[in-house]
Amino acid sequence: MKIFTLNDPDVKKIRQSHPALKGRKLIASGQYSGVFESDDENAVLKLSIDEASYLFHTDELLRPESHHFTKVIRNFGRVGTFTTSKNVTRTKLTNPVELQVPVYLYEIERLHKIPQNTANSTLSRRISKDWRTQDQLSSCPDLRTRAKDIVRHLRDNAFYQHDNPSVINALDEIAQFMMDYDRAFVDLHGANMMQRADCTFVFSDPIGDDRIYSAHYTFKPVTTLTTLTYRDWE
């Protein structure tokens, strides 16, 4: 179940009223965002509640510099608010916390899916597998320290150290973002790795918002349901 529901009345108002989004066709959607067509055929518009990913891509102090990350063309900033989990059916075990979160809009370069049986598809599978393996082996409960530890282990591997040095440096920038921003988790899987038209490998969305994810996937009984603002969830 997607956390950010694009047919929600508040989201529909944003889509129908914002000049950049009005009349735009939805291309794809994920847990936290929707991707829409843009005036520029080489760009897309991203409407998102994922503050961690938004800052990862747009914040002047936090955003990484590697060419392996998505390029931002325009940043429209905060364009509205959204209440998470309000349409989720409550059970004895599932009682997500409702959060009022900002909705962000920004324009990014258009990326392409990685074709099968290519060097980039091999790289994508290897990164997903190696990161997951090291994550499972780690005994560190802190997500930030764990990310740094995983990168350190991978850097010792010749596949990254000698064959893909720019990729391991990009992974290190992801880990550094985790150290600088404590509301994120690393989200490395095949769907979040893409490529440019020139076949440059790109981590399209390697960071997820941990506060929203944790609030939504609350699997324990609660006696009352409280709607919090994003800043209250600290």
Side-chain angles (χ1 to χ4, degrees), residues 197-227:
D198 65 1
C199 294
T200 300
F201 182 86
V202 178
F203 294 101
S204 57
D205 213 1
I207 291 293
D209 194 295
D210 187 54
R211 298 297 179 90
I212 294 176
Y213 185 91
S214 297
H216 183 76
Y217 291 102
T218 302
F219 297 101
K220 61 181 180 180
V222 293
T223 55
T224 59
L225 176 65
T226 303
T227 300

Side-chain angles (χ1 to χ4, degrees), residues 138 140 142-150 152 175 178-179:
S138 176
C140 179
D142 181 70
L143 294 178
R144 296 176 297 170
T145 305
R146 189 190 308 174
K148 274 292 186 183
D149 288 345
I150 292 173
R152 187 171 63 251
M178 293 285 293
M179 298 299 293

Side-chain angles (χ1 to χ4, degrees), residues 113-125 195 199:
K113 291 184 178 180
I114 296 175
Q116 295 183 357
N117 303 317
T118 62
N120 278 346
S121 66
T122 299
L123 179 58
S124 175
R125 287 194 302 272
Q195 67 180 40
C199 294

